Amino acid sequence: MVETAILLDSLRKAGLRITPQRQAICELLATSHEHPTATMIYETLKSRFPSLSLATVYNTLEVLVRLGAVNVLGNAGDGMAHYDADTEPHINLACVSCHKIVDFPSQYVQFLDEEISAASGYRVLGARVLYYGLCPECQQKTPMARRRSDHDDRGNNA
Amino acid sequence: MVETAILLDSLRKAGLRITPQRQAICELLATSHEHPTATMIYETLKSRFPSLSLATVYNTLEVLVRLGAVNVLGNAGDGMAHYDADTEPHINLACVSCHKIVDFPSQYVQFLDEEISAASGYRVLGARVLYYGLCPECQQKTPMARRRSDHDDRGNNA
DNA sequence: TATAAACTTGTATTCATTATAAACAAAGTT
DNA sequence: AACTTTGTTTATAATGAATACAAGTTTATA
Ligand SMILES: [Mn+2]
Ligand SMILES: [Mn+2]
Ligand SMILES: [Zn+2]
Ligand SMILES: [Zn+2]
């Protein structure tokens, strides 16, 4: 569980103002477990903030990522970047068919993280530990041993 | 070290033809250690194949990813997707400043991989294990404890 | 209340990626 | 060999997420 306060604090510590929009975006990021995209955040909040602009969502996300408070997982088959406010080491499992992303806890990621920070020489700003494939539900829907020419849903990529 | 033959075989096994373009793209992917983008592949090969189209590069990459022979690491701060023909479990370290991506070997990733395949219920098609930050060289170039309003090079994201 | 700085918003722009259709090439058929 | 089918490449157009920009709004400080 991510604390909204942690995100807000990182904004504050960077000398940035806590506006109602930023507050709401941080709250949504911290509360949600669905690894939202910029558009998803925008759609969810615009009922509460009718004047909200998509640009503000992108701006806020960019700041949070730069501060290391949020990670970008990238495209999950739907052509847009998904964000994760949980920066604790964990694995994300993305389904390339229904585009849901779930968390998968693993003891090894912790070690991994420490190893990299210690031995790589990099100043690590964030991570993108994401496995992609077909979730159990979507495996049902698909006629099983999917043959080569099965033209399933369009591309994926980064 | 990745074998070109492995990539070509996965095309063959999928019933696809080994054209000179595909052969060259697979060769470059297998040989290169720089996690190239579609454009990088295109630029590199167009001297040898003056008629090569960027569309062919994208098409071939899409097929290889769908077959699980290549992983998409995504945007490394330069706005385009980077590809990795090494599907063995390993960590990729991306520099958000110079956009280079290097491999980092870790024993833990192996365990991680096995754990996910065994316990998640997902049919895993690929992975995107990427840490991003500043490489040792770029840490020099940057005035150290980079303050908030330091407007460095533009965004990053997925 | 001024004045400046930070922030939001609406819109225009960019550009990586995808879609489309026409030319080309290989393999099979008569 | 000529015809046909099917897969591939190429050139170009279209898409749309992300970004840039300029104008308006809020907040801070004097
Ligand atoms: Mn997560
Ligand atoms: Mn790699
Ligand atoms: Zn699914
Ligand atoms: Zn660097």
Side-chain angles (χ1 to χ4, degrees):
Chain A
M1 173 53 187
V2 185
E3 294 288 345
T4 307
I6 294 184
L7 299 182
L8 295 176
D9 275 346
S10 67
L11 290 178
R12 249 189 295 265
K13 269 189 279 192
L16 301 169
R17 294 185 191 152
I18 310 298
T19 66
Q21 294 87 336
R22 284 176 178 167
Q23 163 115 22
I25 292 168
C26 289
E27 200 174 295
L28 176 52
L29 277 169
T31 308
S32 167
H33 283 201
E34 56 172 355
H35 306 81
T37 65
T39 306
M40 288 163 69
I41 295 173
Y42 173 70
E43 295 293 338
T44 305
L45 294 181
K46 82 173 166 195
S47 52
R48 185 143 56 104
F49 294 88
S51 78
L52 182 66
S53 165
L54 190 51
T56 299
V57 177
Y58 275 110
N59 289 340
T60 304
L61 287 170
E62 197 248 328
V63 169
L64 289 170
V65 169
R66 210 178 48 220
L67 296 174
V70 162
N71 285 338
V72 196
L73 302 181
N75 179 338
D78 51 2
M80 38 191 145
H82 289 252
Y83 294 83
D84 194 342
D86 184 0
T87 55
E88 290 302 305
H90 71 278
I91 294 161
N92 299 281
L93 284 172
C95 177
V96 298
S97 175
C98 66
H99 311 142
K100 299 271 175 268
I101 302 180
V102 301
D103 291 331
F104 182 81
S106 169
Q107 47 175 148
Y108 298 117
V109 207
Q110 181 65 50
F111 300 137
L112 207 70
D113 217 63
E114 289 162 7
E115 194 182 25
I116 294 165
S117 303
S120 72
Y122 272 59
R123 180 199 305 260
V124 175
L125 299 174
R128 192 181 292 165
V129 182
L130 181 133
Y131 280 72
Y132 49 94
L134 285 175
C135 73
E137 293 76 39
C138 290
Q139 285 177 51
Q140 302 301 121
K141 288 185 292 187
T142 327
M144 208 55 216
R146 50 180 31 221
R147 267 143 308 128
R148 47 196 155 85
S149 53
D150 285 344
H151 60 83
D152 55 356
D153 60 323
R154 275 307 96 238
N156 34 344
N157 303 11
Chain B
M1 175 51 187
V2 186
E3 294 289 344
T4 306
I6 295 185
L7 298 182
L8 295 176
D9 274 347
S10 66
L11 290 178
R12 249 189 295 265
K13 269 190 278 192
L16 300 170
R17 293 187 193 149
I18 309 299
T19 66
Q21 294 90 333
R22 285 176 177 166
Q23 163 116 25
I25 292 168
C26 289
E27 199 173 296
L28 176 51
L29 278 169
T31 308
S32 168
H33 282 201
E34 55 172 355
H35 305 80
T37 65
T39 306
M40 287 163 70
I41 295 172
Y42 173 69
E43 294 295 338
T44 306
L45 294 181
K46 81 172 166 196
S47 53
R48 185 143 55 104
F49 294 88
S51 78
L52 182 67
S53 164
L54 190 51
T56 299
V57 177
Y58 275 109
N59 288 341
T60 304
L61 286 170
E62 196 248 329
V63 170
L64 289 169
V65 169
R66 210 176 50 221
L67 296 175
V70 162
N71 285 338
V72 196
L73 302 180
N75 179 339
D78 51 1
M80 38 190 146
H82 290 252
Y83 295 83
D84 194 342
D86 183 0
T87 55
E88 289 303 304
H90 70 279
I91 294 162
N92 299 282
L93 283 172
C95 178
V96 299
S97 176
C98 67
H99 311 142
K100 299 272 178 267
I101 302 180
V102 302
D103 291 332
F104 182 81
S106 169
Q107 46 174 150
Y108 298 116
V109 208
Q110 181 65 49
F111 301 138
L112 206 70
D113 217 64
E114 289 162 6
E115 195 182 25
I116 295 165
S117 303
S120 72
Y122 272 59
R123 181 197 303 260
V124 175
L125 299 174
R128 192 182 295 165
V129 182
L130 180 132
Y131 279 72
Y132 49 94
L134 284 175
C135 73
E137 294 76 39
C138 289
Q139 286 177 51
Q140 303 300 121
K141 288 185 292 186
T142 327
M144 208 56 215
R146 50 180 31 218
R147 266 145 308 128
R148 46 196 156 87
S149 52
D150 283 345
H151 60 84
D152 54 356
D153 60 324
R154 276 303 99 242
N156 34 346
N157 305 10

